[in-house]
Amino acid sequence: MAAVPDERSSRLLDDIRFADPAQHQLVVALRALILELSPSVTEAVKYGGLMFSVGKPFCGLFAYARHVSLEFSAGASLDDRFKMLEGQGKLRRHLKLTSADAIAQKHVREYLRMAFDAAVAGQG
């Protein structure tokens, strides 16, 4: 079960729900997957989204007009075995998600596990 959001996270989630209930459901589902990785995962509101850390930041969730972006802080170093990561920057990569079905289709659980494990190991 996902942790109860703090006041800032709750306000952001309420804003997303008001703007787009379907996106809110997707953000809540993704947030739960991230927080289920470990009790040591922390959440903070930054850059207009939810940032998740385990000693160091490893991912973030951002709601846009037509999609939700799951950003990986050190995504360029992840094994992109499924060829789903987008972006060309030196460090970050992201997954664009438009529905709950995309969670399985884009291998979100696997990418989250890789990003989390890399952060814990101090590699990313």
Side-chain angles (χ1 to χ4, degrees):
M1 181 170 167
V4 175
D6 68 15
E7 185 178 332
R8 289 187 71 205
S9 295
S10 289
R11 278 195 306 252
L12 179 61
L13 291 169
D14 285 345
D15 289 346
I16 296 168
R17 179 183 15 244
F18 179 74
D20 188 331
Q23 266 197 349
H24 175 262
Q25 288 181 330
L26 182 55
V27 168
V28 168
L30 291 164
R31 178 182 177 271
L33 290 176
I34 295 164
L35 293 173
E36 287 172 5
L37 290 167
S38 170
S40 63
V41 173
T42 60
E43 171 184 55
V45 175
K46 282 188 175 180
Y47 316 115
L50 297 172
M51 295 295 299
F52 299 90
S53 302
V54 59
K56 63 191 310 184
F58 69 96
C59 74
L61 284 174
F62 300 88
Y64 294 101
R66 292 186 166 87
H67 69 279
V68 172
S69 184
L70 175 57
E71 307 275 338
F72 296 102
S73 303
S77 66
L78 296 179
D79 173 11
D80 190 12
R81 66 186 77 153
F82 305 110
K83 307 295 183 217
M84 294 288 165
L85 294 176
E86 298 181 50
Q88 299 298 318
K90 288 184 179 182
L91 298 175
R92 291 181 182 80
R93 296 290 183 273
H94 62 275
L95 296 171
K96 287 183 182 176
L97 306 159
T98 57
S99 69
D101 292 340
I103 293 172
Q105 293 165 352
K106 294 202 174 187
H107 304 276
V108 168
R109 289 177 191 274
E110 292 89 340
Y111 284 112
L112 284 172
R113 176 53 62 189
M114 285 187 272
F116 172 82
D117 289 347
V120 168
Q123 299 171 5

